[in-house]
Amino acid sequence: MPVPRAAARLSLPFLSIVGLLPAGGCAPAPPTPADLRARAHIEMLATTIGSRPLGTVANARARSYLVGELEAMGLSVRLQRTEITDDRGITAPVANIIAVKDGSRPEAIALVSHYDSQPDAFGALDDGLGVAICLEAARELLASGLRHSLFVILTDGEELGLLGAKAVVKDADVVARLRAFLNFDGTGAAGPGLLFETFPGSSTALEAWSASPFAPTGASFYREIYRRLPNDTDFSILRRTGAMGLNFAPIGDSYAYHNDRDVAARVQDFTIRHELRNTISTVRGIDAAGFEQHESPTTFFRAPVVGVVRVPAQGARILTFAAVILACLAWALVTTEGWRLRGAVGLIATAAATIVRATVVVGAMIGATALVRATRAELHPWYAAPSWLLIYLVTAGIAAGFVMQAAVARVPGRWQPWRGARAVWWTSLPVWIALALICERQAPAAAYLITVPLAAAAVAVLIAPRLGRHAWMAFAAVAAIAIVICALDLLRLFLYAVAIVGWAAAVSPVWMQAVLLGLGAVMIVPPLIAMASARAPMPQPNGVAAVIIGGALIMTFAGVWMQAAYTRDRPERRSVRYVDDRVSGTTWWEIGSVESGLGLRSAEGPSGWRVADAGERVHPRAGALRQPVVHRADSSAPMGAPPATVEGRFAVVSGVAPTLDVRVVTTEPVWIRLELPPNVYPMSSSIEGRLNRDRWNATYVSPAATAFDWRLTFGGGVTASSLMETAVVLTTSGLPGGAGPMRLPGWLPLERATWQARSVYVLPVLR
């Protein structure tokens, strides 16, 4: 087809740039021995050992390998083995690796990551990469020597709710000596290791990171995004020690996060190199500077030539209000000028035209997104090719702006809007001022994205009359600042947001991408238009331009439409669950997805699939799949034996509180949840539990082949009959009849889909 091919040729240069930007745009460099060793660690953890959830044999193999590597470096290594219970009522045995190399001073700097993985992932980017960085950074640092002691802390059970970190902060030696730490986690396999989180008191660590000669990348802006996501890292727990801390993660190519595409080969060489070099430089800087804590800058970002800019909270607030005051003065100046030139009618017409233009442009991008969705079978046809969607939406916005320009040209003279650079700033400055004040209140760490360009724009408007015909240069400077400050971060956010929707199991609203582009456009487009208007009058729309823009719109639409919605590297995320409820005597299968189609590979699996209704989707003990679309198929008989046996005994002895003893004997790693009937609560339990609505439950994460005993005591009035609905809910990874590392049956499509597979068994305690 000639149109898509032409579109591909035209867009190739742009797509190349988009591909480079998230990776930092750095030319390849030959790997160093440290890079190669880091790559070998990732290969060992993610390929040779593979998926390593807490309590599994693979988890133990990974632990043994890491202990050996750390001891070979000359560190003193110990295992912190303990059981930890979190506020969700989940108890698990964890085995943290704590390695120490004493320096001439006992105070310590720690490198932290977690070595466990999700059961559905091989754990290369999350967090084999982080572990590799810790190991090889430690090796390089020890070779050059440090004044202070060095900890390497590799936590267990992070994927189950930061359980390992919750144990680490109870370790007396760590708490007594830890003064600074760098935590490494990630959702992406490409791009730079971003510093996305720090906290007050970490100024010395932040300064050390800023001074790195290896293009340290990060911004406080990312913290505002991160704290609104449902994710968390060990950093949140370790900060309780009071030590200064920095939190790093790459976010490029986040399509492999928590799924079976998270393989070693996917981790980018540049990412290893960038994160490793900056880690070594940062630790050396902290070691040289010491641990004096004072208020850490709440705003920081990297700017070309200047390097990392750090602004304390008070300074950022002053900058915001100074920029707003300057902008108000500038707006008053152009308002006076506009009133003199066009009067009230002209200003009203200008404001109305601007509002209509902006509404039409954003509406066109929303409509363009809706058109792609309406003409494709998938709800997210752009998932695997967001760069194409970006080009298409930009083209749609330009086309809408062109149409509006032509429409405005036909407005009667009295109602013609004010034109020129000053008119652009008359309409733009109030919007920028409002955005700056909103950000200062709601997202202060991101306010610099608005306030820095706002301050530059205000100065440019105020000095423009003195520059005469060279005023365009001042507006060009504003455009450059806006692009440098906003463009790359917003581009990363646009691409990241598409991947986030996939692993958040949500249907992307058609306005999401348009709004993200609109946020960038509102900061970048006005100074560009002002610059062009100051140099020469804006050209009137003509037929040639209409043909070019129309052709570009058709070609970019064809480009988006022709892309595969999901690919092997960027697969659809789906959930599948087998539920065997032996209390109610029912068995069924469920498949959840953000897409409406079932799309199974063959008819070998369950039959009779239907879309589950609201009542079927939530089981009182098994819970629910959280995907927007859930299909269900009933099973006529259970498939195989549960992964554990359950025995219960209720005893009432005169003068002693009634007791319920439960024994669970497992044959594989399993989550064991004991759940009491509604409104029945124990006085005590050998494993801590929690009340969830009207049901008390407690969960224990058990390794394979373990006999686990539970004892609960009750107050008067509790009888054997009132406990008959007590059940043990067992949850394992994989499915009955499944094969391969993730234990998936052959009837599930794997080429363009990745699966979170669970088997749930509900077993009675008392019979």
Side-chain angles (χ1 to χ4, degrees):
M1 293 189 178
V3 171
R5 288 175 184 168
R9 287 196 296 271
L10 286 172
S11 63
L12 185 58
F14 182 83
L15 289 174
S16 299
I17 293 171
V18 169
L20 284 173
L21 282 174
C26 296
T32 66
D35 298 338
L36 295 174
R37 287 192 299 267
R39 170 68 68 183
H41 295 315
I42 299 171
E43 289 282 354
M44 173 58 73
L45 292 171
T47 305
T48 304
I49 296 175
S51 182
R52 46 196 185 277
L54 180 147
T56 61
V57 173
N59 181 273
R61 286 185 62 196
R63 183 164 56 251
S64 178
Y65 168 75
L66 295 171
V67 168
E69 289 293 311
L70 290 164
E71 288 179 338
M73 291 183 207
L75 285 87
S76 174
V77 184
R78 61 186 172 89
L79 293 180
Q80 183 197 25
R81 293 186 182 272
T82 186
E83 283 192 351
I84 192 77
T85 301
D86 70 5
D87 55 8
R88 300 168 298 165
I90 296 176
T91 301
V94 296
N96 295 319
I97 303 170
I98 301 176
V100 183
K101 183 65 174 180
D102 291 324
S104 58
R105 301 187 179 183
E107 299 87 354
I109 305 167
L111 302 173
V112 184
S113 58
H114 67 92
Y115 70 91
D116 65 311
S117 74
Q118 275 278 339
D120 314 291
F122 294 105
L125 65 92
D126 183 24
D127 194 22
L129 171 62
V131 171
I133 296 302
C134 290
L135 292 179
E136 290 312 310
R139 190 190 306 272
E140 296 292 312
L141 290 165
L142 295 176
S144 60
L146 294 173
R147 292 190 306 154
H148 296 94
S149 299
L150 180 69
F151 281 166
V152 177
I153 301 175
L154 307 178
T155 64
D156 194 10
E158 190 269 356
E159 297 292 359
L160 296 184
L162 320 179
L163 295 180
K166 290 170 182 175
V168 166
V169 297
K170 297 181 179 181
D171 185 272
D173 190 46
V174 171
V175 172
R177 299 174 63 184
L178 188 63
R179 296 293 181 274
F181 68 94
L182 282 66
N183 185 67
F184 302 93
D185 212 325
T187 63
L194 295 174
L195 174 61
F196 67 95
E197 186 179 21
T198 182
F199 55 85
S202 300
S203 55
T204 300
L206 186 60
E207 289 168 9
W209 168 79
S210 302
S212 171
F214 302 106
T217 306
S220 53
F221 157 75
Y222 292 107
R223 181 179 181 276
E224 296 292 356
I225 302 299
Y226 169 69
R227 71 188 185 92
R228 290 166 172 80
L229 295 176
N231 300 51
D232 210 346
T233 69
D234 285 341
F235 182 89
S236 300
I237 306 301
L238 289 168
R239 63 181 295 177
R240 298 174 187 173
T241 63
M244 61 182 71
L246 305 175
N247 207 5
F248 297 91
I251 64 171
D253 187 19
S254 290
Y255 292 91
Y257 179 62
H258 283 187
N259 66 51
D260 63 352
R261 272 50 166 193
D262 179 10
V263 295
R266 190 160 191 143
V267 179
Q268 193 181 71
D269 288 338
F270 166 78
T271 304
I272 297 173
R273 184 165 58 249
H274 182 272
E275 200 157 37
L276 183 57
R277 283 155 179 71
N278 279 295
T279 299
I280 295 167
S281 176
T282 301
V283 173
R284 284 175 177 159
I286 297 171
D287 183 57
F291 307 113
E292 181 180 353
Q293 294 196 17
H294 46 90
E295 185 182 4
S296 175
T298 56
T299 296
F300 63 91
F301 58 93
R302 180 175 174 80
V305 182
V306 177
V308 176
V309 178
R310 306 185 306 276
V311 185
Q314 190 62 27
R317 198 170 297 113
I318 291 171
L319 173 62
T320 296
F321 290 113
V324 167
I325 291 170
L326 276 175
C328 288
L329 291 174
W331 188 74
L333 177 67
V334 293
T335 299
T336 301
E337 184 178 340
W339 188 278
R340 178 174 55 82
L341 293 174
R342 299 301 309 276
V345 172
L347 292 181
I348 292 171
T350 303
T354 300
I355 293 170
V356 172
R357 276 186 183 129
T359 303
V360 169
V361 167
V362 174
M365 291 193 290
I366 295 173
T369 307
L371 178 63
V372 175
R373 176 172 282 177
T375 55
R376 289 285 297 269
E378 305 88 357
L379 292 172
H380 301 90
W382 51 79
Y383 182 75
S387 296
W388 270 104
L389 179 66
L390 176 65
I391 299 168
Y392 169 55
L393 294 186
V394 169
T395 306
I398 292 172
F402 176 85
V403 170
M404 286 305 302
Q405 185 76 359
V408 168
R410 298 176 178 273
V411 172
R414 181 171 180 241
W415 292 98
Q416 274 286 324
W418 182 21
R419 299 175 185 274
R422 313 290 276 180
V424 171
W425 291 118
W426 185 76
T427 55
S428 300
L429 285 175
V431 177
W432 286 20
I433 290 168
L435 288 174
L437 293 174
I438 291 171
C439 275
E440 178 60 35
R441 182 168 181 81
Q442 299 296 330
Y448 74 91
L449 293 172
I450 313 296
T451 57
V452 174
L454 177 62
V459 171
V461 171
L462 291 171
I463 67 172
R466 296 180 178 275
L467 298 177
R469 62 189 182 89
H470 298 295
W472 69 271
M473 299 176 67
F475 302 142
V478 178
I481 290 171
I483 290 171
V484 166
I485 294 294
C486 303
L488 183 54
D489 282 331
L490 290 174
L491 175 59
R492 283 197 182 110
L493 179 60
F494 182 92
L495 299 175
Y496 185 50
V498 175
I500 285 175
V501 168
W503 47 263
V507 175
S508 170
V510 293
W511 51 261
M512 186 182 81
Q513 288 83 9
V515 168
L516 288 175
L517 278 181
L519 289 173
V522 79
M523 298 305 302
I524 295 169
V525 172
L528 290 175
I529 295 176
M531 177 188 71
S533 300
R535 289 205 70 180
M538 294 292 288
Q540 292 299 313
N542 56 60
V544 174
V547 170
I548 293 173
I549 293 174
L553 185 60
I554 293 171
M555 292 169 65
T556 54
F557 171 77
V560 176
W561 198 88
M562 292 294 290
Q563 301 304 307
Y566 302 98
T567 65
R568 178 164 187 80
D569 283 340
R570 298 180 173 186
E572 178 189 357
R573 293 173 180 264
R574 310 185 76 184
S575 295
V576 57
R577 186 169 72 159
Y578 168 75
V579 182
D580 180 356
D581 185 350
R582 301 198 175 186
V583 173
S584 65
T586 55
T587 306
W588 69 93
W589 295 81
E590 289 177 321
I591 289 178
S593 175
V594 296
E595 300 288 352
S596 56
L598 192 56
L600 299 182
R601 177 181 287 177
S602 69
E604 296 175 5
S607 59
W609 289 98
R610 66 184 186 280
V611 176
D613 61 37
E616 292 177 314
R617 290 194 57 167
V618 182
H619 185 271
R621 294 188 180 92
L625 293 183
R626 299 189 179 278
Q627 275 76 5
V629 180
V630 175
H631 289 82
R632 176 170 170 149
D634 295 323
S635 179
S636 58
M639 297 186 63
T645 60
V646 177
E647 296 179 1
R649 185 172 65 87
F650 180 72
V652 179
V653 179
S654 177
V656 179
T659 60
L660 175 64
D661 289 291
V662 180
R663 165 161 277 219
V664 181
V665 181
T666 65
T667 57
E668 62 179 275
V670 61
W671 281 49
I672 307 167
R673 189 173 83 247
L674 176 67
E675 188 164 292
L676 296 179
N679 302 311
V680 177
Y681 318 117
M683 293 194 307
S684 66
S685 170
S686 57
I687 294 295
E688 188 175 349
R690 291 291 183 273
L691 184 64
N692 183 14
R693 296 181 181 172
D694 62 345
R695 289 179 181 264
W696 184 94
N697 64 77
T699 301
Y700 187 79
V701 182
S702 172
T706 298
F708 179 71
D709 293 301
W710 235 308
R711 167 160 283 202
L712 299 91
T713 61
F714 298 89
V718 174
T719 63
S721 61
S722 64
L723 291 173
M724 286 304 295
E725 292 184 34
T726 301
V728 166
V729 182
L730 307 171
T731 304
T732 67
S733 302
L735 299 171
M742 307 305 169
R743 296 171 56 193
L744 299 177
W747 46 270
L748 291 177
L750 303 177
E751 182 60 29
R752 296 186 180 184
T754 182
W755 297 88
Q756 182 189 77
R758 299 289 183 268
S759 296
V760 181
Y761 301 85
V762 183
L763 306 181
V765 171
L766 299 174
R767 295 173 175 84

